[in-house]
Amino acid sequence: MRILNFCKKNLIFIWCLVTSFTILLFTSRSSFFFPYNNWDDANSYFTMGKGLMNHMVIYRDLYDQKGPFLYLLYGICYLISNNSFKGVFLFEIIAATIFLYYSFMIIKRHCDIKITYMLIPVLAAGVYSSKSFYWGGAAEEFCMPMFAYSLYILNKFLYPVSGDKKISENTKEIFIVGLLTGITSLIKYTMLGFYFAFGVIVLILIIYREGFVKAIKPALIYFLGIVIPFIPWFIFFGVNGALDDWYRCYIFNNLFFYSNITGDKITLSAKLYKLCKLQYWLFIDNFEYFLYIAVGFVANLFTEKIVLRKIMYPFMYLCTFMFIFYGGGTLPYYSIPLMPFSIIGFIAIGKLLKKISEHYLNEHFWYNIGILALIFSVVFAKNNSQSTNYLFTDKDNFWLTEAASHIEEAPNTTLLNVGALDVGLYTITGIVPTCEYFQTNGIALPTMFSEQERYIKEGLTTYVISSEGEPEHIYDNYDLIYHTAFYDNGYDQSYYLYKHR
């Protein structure tokens, strides 16, 4: 009886959990339905997190350019399972469940709860099987619940109901969004356009409804929330003498080496044309959720009477889009922060279905449709995912397993990954990196190449895994013990494994 009462009381959360779990099983390569998550970015995050949990100072001892909170998250995943992505998959489920829960709460504010149960699996299938989602484990993916919560708070502010407090009195919610802004900035700061728009809209609302003076306290509370997540990292890097390394790797190199924001000499009109063209292709490649974004924006434009409600979501979308893409990067997973705007489309669909349900269909019909929607959504996600052809692949037939079999398990075994981002060998062998430039990063730093050449010439590691050809000087200290070549993900790939003599 207690279990039944618990389930009834928490049915929304349980529904979101079941939905996220069943869909991610087929779309995230972190799932146990896949042999490995062999995405190099995710393995790089895992290796950085592993280093953090083995008393290394990120940015000083190991080089990569994402934010420290991402490496802390992956470090916790490493503690859960030190040679697999089981922990990552657990956190993906948690993140997706929270994202869907607040999506549910937003949609429910505008239509019946029974309809919302039906819409949530469809939303999840569109988001988590899209090209943008990629292979699972992106930094942006773990920020989606924070975006959904912030949209929920903003929706409450824009559509108040009887008995709601004034916006300026909602200091707790504003403070939490401030915390989320700070955390996001320490995961990947290109996503801050979303929170910039949030702050502008809330400020306008308070000034319009309550006056300028009333906006001062919420603004200060919001900025306090932003600052707090920085404090532990200032202490951590300060104590370890690595504040300059943190700035160099996460801020300076990202702006002046990775991004093209300072090097693009084309005119503003040409830049805007390129961005419009990019938006077109994003829509085509990710129709699974962009269709709902378009539906939501158009519906708002024609149904809302208040100007701010008409333009709020497009304004937030534009700020988010520009912060992400103005620097020139166009990798598929960059557009994950745009996914939460698909919720707006489901609000419009929910309103329409609410009108239909009032006249023609009974309540039980919609709950039955909800079950069917979940089944349909899982089938759709499985067949639409970027990883469909990789499902249920035999781990023993995968090249990583074969390569790892050539590596001796010993306490002092070390490895260097050159020619590519982390291919996953650090992960499945459990080896902790010992070199600062433990992989060939996407930022083409001259220091990185010269240091990796030195590591090889001096024979500093037990093994070297190389991609895209054999490294110079490799045969001075190493012997080739394994080689494989194959075609995957649209590219010819080859890997060479060497062992120190």
Side-chain angles (χ1 to χ4, degrees):
M1 184 62 71
R2 287 183 178 180
I3 296 176
L4 185 61
N5 290 334
F6 174 84
C7 290
K8 286 181 178 180
K9 187 177 180 180
N10 298 279
L11 187 57
I12 293 175
F13 186 84
I14 292 170
W15 182 248
C16 294
L17 174 62
V18 170
T19 301
S20 64
F21 175 72
T22 52
I23 287 179
L24 286 173
L25 273 176
F26 296 97
T27 60
S28 171
R29 292 194 182 185
S30 306
S31 156
F32 43 80
F33 280 3
F34 297 87
Y36 301 107
N37 188 331
N38 58 324
W39 185 22
D40 46 12
D41 286 59
N43 280 282
S44 173
Y45 308 154
F46 193 90
T47 303
M48 289 288 287
K50 178 194 299 185
L52 184 63
M53 294 301 159
N54 281 277
H55 313 295
M56 303 179 82
V57 179
I58 52 177
Y59 308 127
R60 188 194 70 185
D61 301 331
L62 294 176
Y63 181 83
D64 198 37
Q65 80 275 17
K66 294 299 189 296
F69 270 118
L70 179 65
Y71 302 135
L72 176 61
L73 173 66
Y74 268 86
I76 297 170
C77 295
Y78 163 76
L79 295 179
I80 295 171
S81 178
N82 63 12
N83 62 356
S84 78
F85 269 58
K86 292 177 183 176
V88 179
F89 186 51
L90 174 63
F91 274 96
E92 283 189 87
I93 294 169
I94 293 170
T97 300
I98 297 171
F99 169 73
L100 294 178
Y101 176 80
Y102 283 108
S103 299
F104 194 112
M105 301 307 288
I106 294 170
I107 298 168
K108 184 171 72 74
R109 299 189 80 244
H110 299 272
C111 71
D112 291 344
I113 188 172
K114 60 182 182 292
I115 296 172
T116 312
Y117 276 108
M118 184 268 289
L119 294 176
I120 286 298
V122 182
L123 168 63
V127 163
Y128 292 108
S129 72
S130 66
K131 185 177 181 180
S132 294
F133 180 70
Y134 211 58
W135 294 354
E140 292 86 347
E141 177 187 349
F142 294 109
C143 292
M144 285 178 63
M146 297 189 283
F147 295 143
Y149 174 82
S150 303
L151 281 176
Y152 171 66
I153 297 303
L154 190 57
N155 194 271
K156 286 176 63 177
F157 291 168
L158 273 162
Y159 299 89
V161 296
S162 177
D164 281 355
K165 296 187 292 185
K166 294 179 179 179
I167 298 176
S168 62
E169 296 173 354
N170 284 274
T171 52
K172 179 182 176 182
E173 288 83 356
I174 291 172
F175 176 73
I176 292 173
V177 176
L179 286 175
L180 301 182
T181 305
I183 293 170
T184 301
S185 67
L186 291 170
I187 292 177
K188 192 172 180 180
Y189 58 77
T190 54
M191 295 184 280
L192 287 178
F194 178 93
Y195 290 105
F196 167 79
F198 176 92
V200 169
I201 292 168
V202 172
L203 191 64
I204 291 172
L205 280 172
I206 296 175
I207 293 173
Y208 177 75
R209 293 177 183 175
E210 305 176 46
F212 178 80
V213 174
K214 288 290 185 179
I216 296 175
K217 182 180 177 181
L220 293 175
I221 289 172
Y222 182 66
F223 282 112
L224 175 63
I226 293 173
V227 169
I228 287 177
F230 283 82
I231 295 174
W233 292 111
F234 270 110
I235 296 172
F236 174 78
F237 290 115
V239 168
N240 288 285
L243 285 170
D244 57 336
D245 296 296
W246 180 21
Y247 169 77
R248 171 178 56 87
C249 297
Y250 186 49
I251 304 297
F252 186 85
N253 287 353
N254 271 322
L255 282 175
F256 297 102
F257 289 96
Y258 190 68
S259 170
N260 195 34
I261 193 168
T262 58
D264 202 340
K265 302 300 182 182
I266 64 174
T267 64
L268 179 61
S269 59
K271 184 73 172 181
L272 292 176
Y273 171 76
K274 287 180 66 176
L275 290 170
C276 290
K277 190 175 179 180
L278 170 62
Q279 175 60 82
Y280 169 80
W281 284 110
L282 283 175
F283 188 98
I284 298 300
D285 290 341
N286 298 282
F287 72 93
E288 302 91 342
Y289 67 89
F290 265 104
L291 179 63
Y292 301 117
I293 296 175
V295 167
F297 287 2
V298 171
N300 264 19
L301 183 64
F302 288 100
T303 61
E304 294 291 352
K305 296 179 181 180
I306 300 174
V307 174
L308 188 59
R309 290 179 180 175
K310 286 179 182 286
I311 66 171
M312 174 196 67
Y313 293 121
F315 171 69
M316 291 192 76
Y317 179 94
L318 180 63
C319 290
T320 308
F321 177 88
M322 293 298 286
F323 268 65
I324 294 170
F325 293 109
Y326 193 82
T330 57
L331 293 173
Y333 56 91
Y334 284 7
S335 56
I336 287 177
L338 303 176
M339 289 177 175
F341 293 100
S342 60
I343 299 170
I344 316 309
F346 284 92
I347 291 175
I349 295 170
K351 287 179 178 179
L352 177 63
L353 292 177
K354 181 181 179 181
K355 291 182 179 179
I356 295 172
S357 67
E358 287 174 351
H359 296 92
Y360 301 103
L361 302 173
N362 61 43
E363 185 172 310
H364 293 290
F365 172 85
W366 288 106
Y367 288 118
N368 292 332
I369 287 293
I371 300 297
L372 292 175
L374 177 59
I375 296 170
F376 167 81
S377 297
V378 171
V379 173
F380 175 85
K382 173 189 175 296
N383 290 288
N384 192 60
S385 169
Q386 300 296 298
S387 300
T388 296
N389 295 331
Y390 194 55
L391 265 171
F392 306 116
T393 302
D394 187 353
K395 182 179 289 189
D396 293 335
N397 294 331
F398 199 72
W399 80 268
L400 269 173
T401 305
E402 191 174 354
S405 69
H406 292 275
I407 295 179
E408 298 175 4
E409 293 185 18
N412 297 321
T413 299
T414 53
L415 174 70
L416 174 64
N417 186 118
V418 297
L421 280 172
D422 191 334
V423 298
L425 207 54
Y426 285 112
T427 302
I428 68 171
T429 60
I431 293 175
V432 179
T434 53
C435 300
E436 178 183 357
Y437 298 100
F438 66 94
Q439 63 179 351
T440 303
N441 196 280
I443 297 181
L445 295 173
T447 305
M448 174 179 64
F449 295 114
S450 62
E451 281 293 280
Q452 288 184 338
E453 183 178 359
R454 180 179 68 83
Y455 303 153
I456 293 172
K457 288 174 71 175
E458 297 180 8
L460 295 186
T461 59
T462 316
Y463 296 92
V464 174
I465 181 76
S466 174
S467 175
E468 299 180 1
E470 300 188 276
E472 193 175 356
H473 309 294
I474 190 67
Y475 291 107
D476 293 353
N477 295 294
Y478 296 89
D479 294 318
L480 180 67
I481 60 172
Y482 172 75
H483 171 245
T484 185
F486 55 93
Y487 182 82
D488 185 45
N489 198 36
Y491 298 96
D492 289 315
Q493 301 187 31
S494 60
Y495 297 96
Y496 303 80
L497 181 64
Y498 304 89
K499 183 179 181 181
H500 199 285
R501 295 191 191 98

